[in-house]
Amino acid sequence: MLFDEKFRRPDGIQRLVKELWDISQETGPIRLMEICGTHTMAIAKAGLRSLLPPSIQLLSGPGCPVCVTPAGAIDEILRLSGLPDVILASYGDLLRVPGSVRGDTLLRRRALGAQVQTVYSPMEALEIAVQHPDQEVIFLGVGFETTAPGTAACILEAKEQGASNFSVLCLLKSTEPALRALIHAPDFAVDGFLCPGHVAVITGSDAFAFLPREFGLPAVVSGFEPADLLFSIYRLAEMLRQKAPALENEYTRLVCPEGNPAAQSAMERVFLPTDSLWRGLGTIPNSGLALREAFSPWDAAKKFGFSPSPTVELAGCQCGEVIRGACRPEQCPLFGRVCTPADPVGPCMVSGEGACAAAYRYQT
Ligand code: SF4
């Protein structure tokens, strides 16, 4: 049996679905939130919502890195793309996200002559800098704890090489402060969390222990196969039925309680916490990562300036509400009519991890 098949066997899936329907007879409505864009896509792709009883609702939270990057930050990135002798290197999704003007994206700027390159890792961006010593290369560092260690390793390497024409615009964010802000938001209405397996590989599952300990909310670190997700949903529902919130790690094949110490150490050497602006959540104290003083020569914000203005969403766009789980994509008046993957209004329709893109693509 292939590895994947083990997690997609119909008999196992059917058993879990039956358990969930049974549990739902005893509980009231249950609202669960995933906080990982890959979970969002995996849930939609497998059609899991269609298998659940109507009383169990799955919401998408602030787990898509491109989606939580505010429009003001995109405007600043667009400004950087217009500087002479500057090459921007970015993950692909960011190229299609508009700033505060609809349709104004890095992709459009590239068509107009800006030097913008798609990369799959920060090391590729550093390689571009080595190949173009007469130009400045800026890597657009977005993401959570998942991409932060690779970015840290690249900055350490740039320092080691003395690559003076390379820098990172650090827009990295941390998961825990965002979850705390979400829980304290006035419209918070979530009964349990599907915790992000990829982030937990780095942080360790223990990083989510505060959810049951401080807030009485059950939390399960989940993998990405349909059976992973259904089992995690089942465990959350069962904990709610038993009124016994706890942290469980379902993704034990990759996640351990303490995480990856080498990755954590690289992050610790290069970054320190800083206040960060999130789309939909505003400024959250200590929720971003900034480069330490020792790495200032590789800090694009210090080299080229970076002052995002307060976020103004494009007219009618509900991305902020979607990111907080306060609105399902289909409830946005622009969904599927004005806003589509071919002509997106907001980042949630652009990103391969966005809730609106998932809902549009899989109609679920
Ligand atoms: Fe934003 Fe488009 Fe989603 Fe509406 S449908 S919330 S405009 S991405």
Side-chain angles (χ1 to χ4, degrees):
M1 186 184 297
L2 291 173
F3 179 77
D4 281 359
E5 287 173 4
K6 194 171 145 197
F7 297 95
R8 296 177 184 179
R9 286 180 49 167
D11 53 341
I13 300 278
Q14 280 160 7
R15 222 173 25 248
L16 284 169
V17 169
K18 181 176 180 318
E19 290 283 355
L20 280 163
W21 279 78
D22 289 348
I23 291 171
S24 74
Q25 302 298 313
E26 295 181 41
T27 62
I30 292 176
R31 289 161 60 95
L32 306 177
M33 176 176 274
E34 87 271 358
I35 42 173
C36 166
T38 313
H39 276 161
T40 301
M41 269 297 162
I43 288 167
K45 187 176 180 186
L48 296 190
R49 282 190 181 82
S50 67
L51 299 177
L52 299 178
S55 58
I56 299 183
Q57 198 183 353
L58 299 184
L59 302 166
S60 303
C64 157
V66 167
C67 305
V68 299
T69 303
I74 304 292
D75 286 342
E76 277 292 89
I77 289 170
L78 293 170
R79 177 185 65 78
L80 293 176
S81 77
L83 295 179
D85 294 323
V86 162
I87 301 173
L88 295 190
S90 169
Y91 299 125
D93 274 356
L94 204 56
L95 266 62
R96 298 183 61 233
V97 177
S100 57
V101 176
R102 189 174 183 194
D104 194 9
T105 62
L106 281 178
L107 211 54
R108 176 176 170 275
R109 297 289 179 114
R110 183 164 74 181
L112 294 173
Q115 297 191 78
V116 182
Q117 296 201 22
T118 306
V119 293
Y120 292 95
S121 76
M123 288 297 188
E124 263 189 74
L126 178 57
E127 187 57 37
I128 294 169
V130 170
Q131 290 164 0
H132 297 83
D134 299 335
Q135 301 198 65
E136 288 284 342
V137 174
I138 304 173
F139 173 68
L140 305 178
V142 297
F144 299 104
E145 289 88 344
T146 335
T147 50
T151 308
C154 180
I155 292 166
L156 289 167
E157 179 65 23
K159 186 174 186 184
E160 177 78 24
Q161 291 184 17
S164 59
N165 66 327
F166 175 78
S167 57
V168 173
L169 184 65
C170 195
L171 301 171
L172 293 163
K173 298 189 187 304
S174 304
T175 308
E176 181 181 333
L179 279 175
R180 289 180 180 277
L182 191 70
I183 291 168
H184 287 118
D187 52 4
F188 177 73
V190 170
D191 302 304
F193 282 101
L194 281 167
C195 297
H198 294 151
V199 166
V201 168
I202 305 298
T203 63
S205 53
D206 283 353
F208 298 95
F210 72 97
L211 290 167
R213 190 179 59 229
E214 294 181 36
F215 299 104
L217 291 163
V220 177
V221 176
S222 179
F224 298 87
E225 293 296 328
D228 282 325
L229 287 157
L230 269 181
F231 183 73
S232 301
I233 293 165
Y234 156 69
R235 286 304 308 149
L236 287 170
E238 179 63 9
M239 284 192 263
L240 287 166
R241 183 171 75 95
Q242 303 265 4
K243 298 187 172 46
L247 168 69
E248 292 185 4
N249 176 14
E250 178 278 331
Y251 201 27
T252 50
R253 60 192 188 276
L254 281 184
V255 173
C256 61
E258 64 277 7
N260 182 326
Q264 291 166 14
S265 157
M267 287 165 63
E268 177 65 27
R269 278 178 70 189
V270 175
F271 303 125
L272 75 177
T274 187
D275 297 353
S276 183
L277 183 62
W278 297 58
R279 194 186 295 261
L281 291 165
T283 298
I284 305 175
N286 291 325
S287 67
L289 297 176
L291 272 65
R292 291 184 181 276
E293 197 61 36
F295 298 95
S296 291
W298 295 275
D299 188 339
K302 290 196 173 139
K303 255 177 150 173
F304 303 100
F306 184 71
S307 315
S309 54
T311 293
V312 180
E313 298 293 356
L314 291 164
C317 176
Q318 306 283 307
C319 280
E321 286 77 10
V322 168
I323 286 165
R324 288 200 309 277
C327 165
R328 276 287 303 155
E330 301 85 349
Q331 293 172 315
C332 171
L334 308 186
F335 179 82
R337 296 182 302 114
V338 178
C339 180
T340 63
D343 188 13
V345 175
C348 300
M349 189 61 92
V350 173
S351 171
E353 299 192 334
C356 298
Y360 185 90
R361 185 166 176 191
Y362 297 108
Q363 304 287 305
T364 176

